[in-house]
Amino acid sequence: MSKVKRNQGTPFYIDGNRAMVSLGPLNENVYCCYRCAFCYVQDGFMSYAKLNVSEIVDFLVKNRERYNIIYISGDTDSFAPPRTQKGIELLDEIVKAIDCDITFTTRSVFSDFEYEQLSDIIKRHKKSGFKFIAGSSITRYSEDTAYLEPAPIPSPDDRIQHIKKMKRVGAITMLGLRPFLPVVNMHDYTTILDKIYPDLDIALGECFYFIRNGSIQERVFPKGISEDIEKNIVCGQRMEFDDNESLWDIWNSKEYENYVAKHCKKLGIIFAMHSEEALEEYNRLCQKR
């Protein structure tokens, strides 16, 4: 777990357009009940502050003029057990207090009762005229890279079914193929997309960031970094979606981006590397209909 943490003064990340919030770490030593090999919080990403639901909502209300969309995402999975109900409570309280587009992202799946709860929240939110985007992240499909998303993370197939269920309860569905990783076969991504189709609205890619010789590198590349991968790495870069001061190495995933973008176009799915760009395209298409 990164030693770099946000404080009560700046508990979350707001970049002038979006507010990113979460339930924060489970405790002082564990930031998430999932252990994704590529999670940025292992190295130099700033863990968010641990606040209760009312404190998070108060922060969002006080800073309302600074954003136009809320993301429940970032440093931890706020919807994974044992905090699933707390995550749903956070969604519910935000919908009650703030008129705004909302996105939540998880690698978890829900019970029938929890999907009913989410369905009710979505119905109430859509009546206000704002968008509700349900995101799920799937980084690989093949079993030979299962170490990237170890148990208790639900299987890719279970998360695919989760996206389909979120579509049925009225959400805009968004898949994070995140991050693109050179150890994952490109065909995994098209397999995932084909299995979700036609219940997916948006697919997102993301560059892979890691700290040289850090925990992420050790877990993603247990056999070391090959020369072919190394030649596509740019060193010493700042993150463009967070204000941490760490310098990251970035793997150039352009080949993967082009491959996935082409397949998404074939299926009629919006693809982008950034959610803001994808949602702008979604709005543009909605206006044309």
Side-chain angles (χ1 to χ4, degrees), residues 223-238:
K223 298 179 181 178
I225 300 176
S226 69
E227 290 184 7
D228 284 342
I229 293 173
E230 191 68 66
K231 68 184 181 183
N232 288 310
I233 293 174
V234 180
C235 302
Q237 305 296 303
R238 296 289 296 273

Side-chain angles (χ1 to χ4, degrees), residues 7-276:
N7 55 44
Q8 298 291 330
T10 56
F12 306 112
Y13 178 60
I14 301 179
D15 69 356
N17 176 55
R18 62 180 177 175
M20 296 188 69
V21 302
S22 77
L23 294 176
L26 286 169
N27 55 54
E28 282 297 312
N29 299 311
V30 180
Y31 60 89
C32 185
C33 65
Y34 292 157
R35 290 280 295 149
C36 301
F38 42 82
C39 183
Y40 304 131
V41 184
Q42 296 174 91
D43 287 330
F45 189 95
M46 289 192 285
S47 181
Y48 294 174
K50 186 177 178 65
L51 304 181
N52 62 39
V53 168
S54 63
E55 290 171 331
I56 297 171
V57 174
D58 286 346
F59 169 85
L60 290 169
V61 170
K62 290 175 183 176
N63 290 277
R64 181 63 186 91
E65 74 284 354
R66 297 177 59 194
Y67 61 86
N68 57 32
I69 186 169
I70 297 168
Y71 285 68
I72 304 178
S73 182
D75 66 326
T76 189
D77 194 322
S78 297
F79 297 88
R83 299 192 293 183
T84 305
Q85 275 302 310
K86 188 65 66 176
I88 293 174
E89 178 189 350
L90 176 59
L91 267 177
D92 192 27
E93 293 302 318
I94 290 174
V95 165
K96 290 176 182 176
I98 304 168
D99 288 333
C100 184
D101 293 341
I102 296 175
T103 297
F104 82 92
T105 301
T106 184
R107 290 181 194 269
S108 190
V109 299
F110 302 123
S111 68
D112 289 343
F113 173 69
E114 289 157 354
Y115 283 115
E116 289 177 6
Q117 289 180 291
L118 290 167
S119 177
D120 178 65
I121 292 170
I122 293 168
K123 287 175 183 175
R124 285 187 283 111
H125 187 61
K126 290 174 74 173
K127 285 181 180 178
S128 68
F130 292 92
K131 291 187 289 296
F132 189 101
I133 304 104
S136 183
S137 297
I138 309 175
T139 300
R140 57 88 203 176
Y141 191 79
S142 301
E143 284 303 305
D144 62 349
T145 48
Y147 71 92
L148 297 168
E149 299 176 310
I153 298 174
S155 72
D157 283 319
D158 285 345
R159 282 174 278 163
I160 286 167
Q161 291 305 311
H162 162 73
I163 294 174
K164 290 178 172 292
K165 289 177 181 178
M166 292 308 304
K167 186 67 175 177
R168 288 199 289 271
V169 298
I172 299 167
T173 51
M174 186 165 66
L175 167 68
L177 295 167
R178 295 183 149 187
F180 284 140
L181 293 170
V183 295
V184 174
N185 189 306
M186 280 196 299
H187 297 297
D188 275 22
Y189 302 120
T190 51
T191 297
I192 294 165
L193 290 164
D194 287 342
K195 285 179 174 289
I196 299 174
Y197 180 81
D199 296 312
L200 184 64
D201 297 302
I202 296 168
L204 298 177
E206 185 177 80
C207 293
F208 171 49
Y209 292 76
F210 66 99
I211 299 291
R212 184 64 63 161
N213 298 318
S215 297
I216 299 171
Q217 177 179 333
E218 180 181 349
R219 294 187 63 205
V220 171
F221 302 111
K223 298 179 181 178
I225 300 176
S226 69
E227 290 184 7
D228 284 342
I229 293 173
E230 191 68 66
K231 68 184 181 183
N232 288 310
I233 293 174
V234 180
C235 302
Q237 305 296 303
R238 296 289 296 273
M239 272 186 172
E240 59 181 38
F241 53 86
D242 189 71
D243 56 1
N244 68 79
E245 297 183 357
S246 300
L247 294 178
W248 301 78
D249 286 6
I250 307 175
W251 175 68
N252 183 346
S253 58
K254 199 65 180 178
E255 181 183 4
Y256 282 46
E257 293 171 36
N258 292 338
Y259 179 79
V260 172
K262 182 179 179 180
H263 198 72
C264 284
K265 184 176 182 179
K266 174 184 173 183
L267 296 178
I269 296 168
I270 296 168
F271 172 77
M273 292 294 283
H274 304 285
S275 58
E276 182 177 8

